[in-house]
Amino acid sequence: MIHDYLPVSRADMNIRGWKQCDFVYVIGDAYVDHPSFGHAIISRLLEAHGYKVGIISQPDWKDKKSVQILGEPRLGFLVSAGNMDSMVNHYSVSKKRRQQDSYTPGGVMGKRPDYATTVYCNLIRSVYKNAPIIIGGIEASLRRLAHYDYWSDRLKHSILIDSQADLISYGMGEKSIVEIADALNSGLDIKDVTFIDGTVYKTNSLESVYNAQVLPSFDRMKEDKLEYAKSYYVQYCNTDPFLGKRLVEPYKENLYVVQNPPSKPLSKDEMDYTYGLPYMRNYHPSYEEQGGIPAVREIKFSLINNRGCFGACSFCALTFHQGRIIQARSHESLVEEAKMLTVEPDFKGYIHDVGGPTADFRFPACEKQTTKGACPNRQCLFPEPCKNLRADHTDYIELLRKLRNLPKVKKVFIRSGIRFDYVLADPGKKFLKELCEYHVSGQLKVAPEHVADKVLSKMGKPKNKVYREFVKEYNEMNGRLGKKQYLVPYLMSSHPGSGLAEAIELAEYLRDLGYMPEQVQDFYPTPSTISTCMYYTGYDPRTMERVYVPTNPHEKAMQRALIQYRNPKNYELVAEALKLAGRTDLIGFEKKCLIRPRTGAFNGFTDGKSGKNNGSMRRSDASSGETQKNRKKKTIRNVHKKSVKK
């Protein structure tokens, strides 16, 4: 077997003596042969099982010839939008076009289409009418059934329908893709490949579908958002490979989308095998003249320690994509990869991360999960740690010690995030000392997300008192170690459940902390999360209770501005928010105040103490005789009042 990049041209195929590929893999990212990229894992795994795989990276979706450069594959096309959802890759939460694509040569934007998976599949289908098309990756995985699409603001079909693809390999597809390849290689028609876990297929009859739970039809969900909330929660409760049922989503009388149960998690040996395949560990050399691939810089000297997460954050899609059962690599596998990093010519002695979705998860939350799966209606850490939770960092500590003791390694950082509630749940507290002493570079990033318990409960995050306890212990530990290290909290605005009152509570917390974040993440409704379901339907699918959702762009701007209330550019938004919330007591000269009054014409604000107007209206507005109240539409005012009330 040639140890080189997989073929990207006919010339590459000729070097290998290939007349035809078994699979042609069409991807929205640049071709990077590194295990941090899904296309690298899938293609190398197929290669290890004897299949010939060619790569077409970022084809010109306006030119049919771009998907013909390797010819028609013997078994089928594989299609993925890339490591990111193409819409998240292209647009900010305010739906503004991003300026850089880190997965494209030179960071150039515009090398892939919107809804890339669907566009690529339709392009392939226009040329190869009968070729099997299997789609995967996060874009397809999170759109495998009907889903709310934030960018078009509507409920959309399963991507299987709109893309004209034959099969979805959802989640982490190592097991399912090999089974699919073997089935096609045995002579089975793609329409008969309906029996593999971790796949979704279309059918015109349910005669051969057994042990299935039928979801509300697409038309019913489109007419009634509550029906979608119910359907989503059934899906959410069936993401476990041991307990998950087969699900059927009806479309028309003769069209159904069937989701098979998830694939079983990889064992430690299987994880080691997957990450030990002969990757080139870099981007294709053809990109060098274009400036390389920016994303590679972030992962080149990092180690993937685990996958899966039992953290239960409502806004995170990992439960849908990777599942709740932790799968981890052995110490030997990680140490061996670390040794490979140390011989790289540009290695400076720093391993940037030893992590995953949550860095400090090294094994399933409890012993039961390895044989019986995760509880469908209970979470491991939320609202409080389960009594059966196995909170123990001993194995992770041993791994980190082995890595930092390697020759040429100066420092091992942890950058992919830890769960502070999980750290506190570990009775030994040894990890906190180890973390502060060896693995923090002056600042530790953590994700409390908010401080209002009402919002945290919707986020699936622990109560604020838990974060405050972690802050206390972190500071005390650094004090004992004689280190000046700080916490950098990730915060989110405009999450479902957050009104102006909760946003102001967060601003007051930051005031007391003496900290203003440089960046604020406004809630981004990406497909197939609990939070997105709340955003679209107005219901919490876990309880079917109504939930307040800030959807008005102006209110969202105010919530975001409150987190950065010290920024002079945000003054008008902050002042308006405080007035609408009835909190003009926070406008003044006292220590507790968020902003000071501005001199000028009357704008209706009071100082919260004397009841007198503080007159902070801009002169341009005063000259026209137009007040803040008159400038805003009545509908916006009503939304704000409803927010505060709730």
Side-chain angles (χ1 to χ4, degrees):
M1 185 169 65
I2 298 174
H3 185 212
D4 197 357
Y5 292 90
L6 296 174
V8 298
S9 66
R10 284 281 192 177
D12 290 346
M13 291 172 61
N14 292 337
I15 290 172
R16 292 178 176 241
W18 296 2
K19 293 184 178 180
Q20 185 181 29
C21 294
D22 293 324
F23 291 99
V24 170
Y25 204 157
V26 178
I27 55 176
D29 288 339
Y31 176 29
V32 180
D33 194 25
H34 187 284
S36 291
F37 287 72
H39 62 253
I41 288 180
I42 296 301
S43 59
R44 287 298 183 186
L45 195 61
L46 286 170
E47 180 191 46
H49 282 78
Y51 295 103
K52 301 172 184 176
V53 184
I55 305 289
I56 299 179
S57 171
Q58 299 185 321
D60 181 354
W61 67 94
K62 300 173 185 176
D63 184 359
K64 294 181 180 181
K65 293 180 181 178
S66 66
V67 294
Q68 296 176 274
I69 60 172
L70 300 181
E72 183 172 3
R74 182 174 69 90
L75 297 177
F77 283 91
L78 308 176
V79 179
S80 170
N83 263 19
M84 286 180 70
D85 186 290
S86 63
M87 300 305 287
V88 178
N89 178 278
H90 285 173
Y91 301 99
S92 69
V93 65
S94 59
K95 301 183 182 179
K96 293 180 180 178
R97 190 80 170 178
R98 299 191 195 274
Q99 299 302 307
Q100 184 182 44
D101 181 351
S102 295
Y103 295 91
T104 292
V108 175
M109 178 56 74
K111 293 296 184 180
R112 80 186 88 204
D114 288 355
Y115 305 107
T117 303
T118 297
V119 173
Y120 290 153
C121 288
N122 285 321
L123 185 65
I124 293 167
R125 189 61 77 210
S126 71
V127 180
Y128 301 107
K129 304 297 183 183
N130 300 311
I133 301 177
I134 300 100
I135 58 178
I138 195 152
E139 182 166 285
S141 184
L142 300 184
R143 289 171 166 80
R144 57 187 185 258
L145 295 174
H147 56 279
Y148 171 68
D149 182 74
Y150 171 67
W151 303 275
S152 62
D153 191 27
R154 64 187 178 91
L155 194 69
K156 295 189 76 170
H157 301 140
S158 161
I159 193 173
L160 204 54
I161 293 175
D162 293 338
S163 68
Q164 301 186 70
D166 296 290
L167 204 61
I168 301 174
S169 170
Y170 72 87
M172 307 300 284
E174 289 96 343
K175 289 193 173 183
S176 60
I177 198 64
V178 173
E179 290 188 60
I180 292 167
D182 289 346
L184 294 173
N185 192 47
S186 72
L188 276 180
D189 189 283
I190 187 67
K191 292 181 175 57
D192 295 324
V193 183
T194 61
F195 51 86
I196 296 172
D197 286 349
T199 63
V200 182
Y201 65 93
K202 295 174 290 190
T203 182
N204 56 15
S205 171
L206 297 181
E207 289 182 6
S208 59
V209 179
Y210 58 94
N211 295 336
Q213 181 167 352
V214 179
L215 302 171
S217 70
F218 180 79
D219 288 340
R220 278 176 59 194
M221 291 188 287
K222 197 171 182 180
E223 291 172 4
D224 186 351
K225 292 181 178 180
L226 184 59
E227 288 295 303
Y228 175 71
K230 292 175 180 176
S231 177
Y232 173 80
Y233 194 59
V234 172
Q235 297 171 44
Y236 182 82
C237 292
N238 284 277
T239 55
D240 183 82
F242 295 93
L243 302 173
K245 297 185 180 71
R246 187 169 286 100
L247 303 178
V248 173
E249 190 169 74
Y251 281 83
K252 300 175 183 177
E253 190 173 339
N254 60 345
L255 179 59
Y256 306 90
V257 173
V258 182
Q259 175 184 300
N260 287 320
S263 294
K264 294 294 188 294
L266 298 187
S267 66
K268 186 169 290 187
D269 287 345
E270 288 170 331
M271 284 283 285
D272 289 353
Y273 176 77
T274 297
Y275 286 90
L277 291 168
Y279 305 101
M280 299 300 292
R281 305 190 65 80
N282 207 342
Y283 51 78
H284 194 276
S286 62
Y287 303 134
E288 196 66 51
E289 292 183 359
Q290 302 170 64
I293 310 302
V296 172
R297 293 194 293 268
E298 299 298 319
I299 53 88
K300 187 172 183 180
F301 297 114
S302 295
L303 300 172
I304 298 172
N305 157 46
N306 62 32
R307 65 170 60 161
C309 184
F310 52 78
C313 297
S314 304
F315 47 81
C316 180
L318 277 174
T319 301
F320 246 60
H321 188 60
Q322 292 191 5
R324 289 170 57 189
I325 299 176
I326 302 300
Q327 301 146 73
R329 296 166 62 187
S330 71
H331 291 195
E332 293 76 15
S333 171
L334 288 157
V335 168
E336 188 62 30
E337 185 176 352
K339 289 178 180 177
M340 294 169 61
L341 301 184
T342 64
V343 299
E344 291 287 333
D346 52 345
F347 181 70
K348 306 298 183 184
Y350 301 99
I351 294 177
H352 297 159
D353 191 23
V354 183
T358 301
D360 53 331
F361 290 173
R362 279 286 295 169
F363 38 73
C366 66
E367 294 295 334
K368 167 186 165 294
Q369 288 188 353
T370 58
T371 55
K372 297 180 180 178
C375 302
N377 299 312
R378 296 175 61 189
Q379 299 294 341
C380 306
L381 282 169
F382 175 77
E384 295 178 348
C386 174
K387 64 179 181 180
N388 296 319
L389 177 70
R390 180 186 171 195
D392 184 355
H393 289 82
T394 304
D395 184 67
Y396 192 41
I397 291 171
E398 290 177 1
L399 169 63
L400 294 169
R401 287 175 177 172
K402 289 176 182 178
L403 293 172
R404 68 174 185 256
N405 287 328
L406 288 175
K408 299 183 181 180
V409 173
K410 298 176 183 177
K411 188 92 172 179
V412 177
F413 295 112
I414 300 173
R415 291 184 175 175
S416 57
I418 60 168
R419 281 294 296 234
F420 56 84
D421 48 349
Y422 186 69
V423 173
L424 292 178
D426 185 345
K429 299 293 189 296
K430 291 180 181 179
F431 176 66
L432 186 58
K433 180 179 183 297
E434 201 90 358
L435 175 71
C436 295
E437 190 167 5
Y438 298 107
H439 304 291
V440 178
S441 58
Q443 295 180 336
L444 177 67
K445 295 178 181 179
V446 288
E449 307 295 356
H450 214 281
V451 299
D453 287 345
K454 176 183 174 182
V455 182
L456 292 168
S457 69
K458 297 303 178 188
M459 290 179 161
K461 301 289 286 187
K463 291 182 178 180
N464 181 240
K465 67 178 183 181
V466 180
Y467 177 64
R468 290 178 183 268
E469 175 63 21
F470 178 76
V471 172
K472 176 175 173 288
E473 297 216 8
Y474 178 79
N475 290 335
E476 288 178 352
M477 181 61 71
N478 279 299
R480 288 198 291 271
L481 294 171
K483 290 180 175 286
K484 290 184 178 180
Q485 298 185 138
Y486 306 95
L487 286 173
V488 178
Y490 283 124
L491 299 169
M492 185 182 295
S493 63
S494 304
H495 188 276
S498 176
L500 287 181
E502 289 73 32
I504 291 169
E505 183 180 345
L506 179 54
E508 290 184 282
Y509 171 79
L510 294 172
R511 172 203 63 198
D512 297 341
L513 196 63
Y515 169 72
M516 188 185 79
E518 292 183 7
Q519 293 181 328
V520 177
Q521 175 62 57
D522 201 359
F523 167 63
Y524 204 149
T526 54
S528 297
T529 70
I530 288 178
S531 298
T532 299
C533 182
M534 286 190 275
Y535 178 90
Y536 171 58
T537 66
Y539 292 95
D540 186 334
R542 295 164 294 194
T543 62
M544 294 304 161
E545 295 175 350
R546 295 286 299 182
V547 56
Y548 175 74
V549 180
T551 57
N552 183 280
H554 190 68
E555 181 189 358
K556 293 172 73 173
M558 286 193 292
Q559 290 205 28
R560 189 166 55 249
L562 280 162
I563 297 179
Q564 296 176 310
Y565 68 88
R566 294 184 184 182
N567 188 333
K569 294 179 181 179
N570 292 333
Y571 183 91
E572 297 292 342
L573 285 168
V574 173
E576 182 184 359
L578 294 175
K579 180 189 176 186
L580 287 166
R583 293 300 309 275
T584 52
D585 60 301
L586 296 176
I587 304 173
F589 297 96
E590 297 177 12
K591 188 176 181 180
K592 70 170 186 175
C593 294
L594 299 180
I595 56 174
R596 293 184 174 188
R598 283 180 176 173
T599 58
F602 167 77
N603 75 339
F605 293 125
T606 62
D607 62 13
K609 188 174 182 181
S610 65
K612 294 181 181 179
N613 297 307
N614 67 27
S616 64
M617 183 180 177
R618 292 177 299 178
R619 292 179 182 226
S620 59
D621 292 335
S623 63
S624 67
E626 186 179 22
T627 65
Q628 288 272 8
K629 185 174 182 180
N630 291 332
R631 284 190 293 115
K632 299 302 173 186
K633 293 181 180 180
K634 183 178 179 181
T635 53
I636 294 178
R637 290 202 310 271
N638 289 340
V639 168
H640 297 165
K641 290 176 182 177
K642 183 179 178 184
S643 162
V644 175
K645 184 177 179 182
K646 285 185 173 285

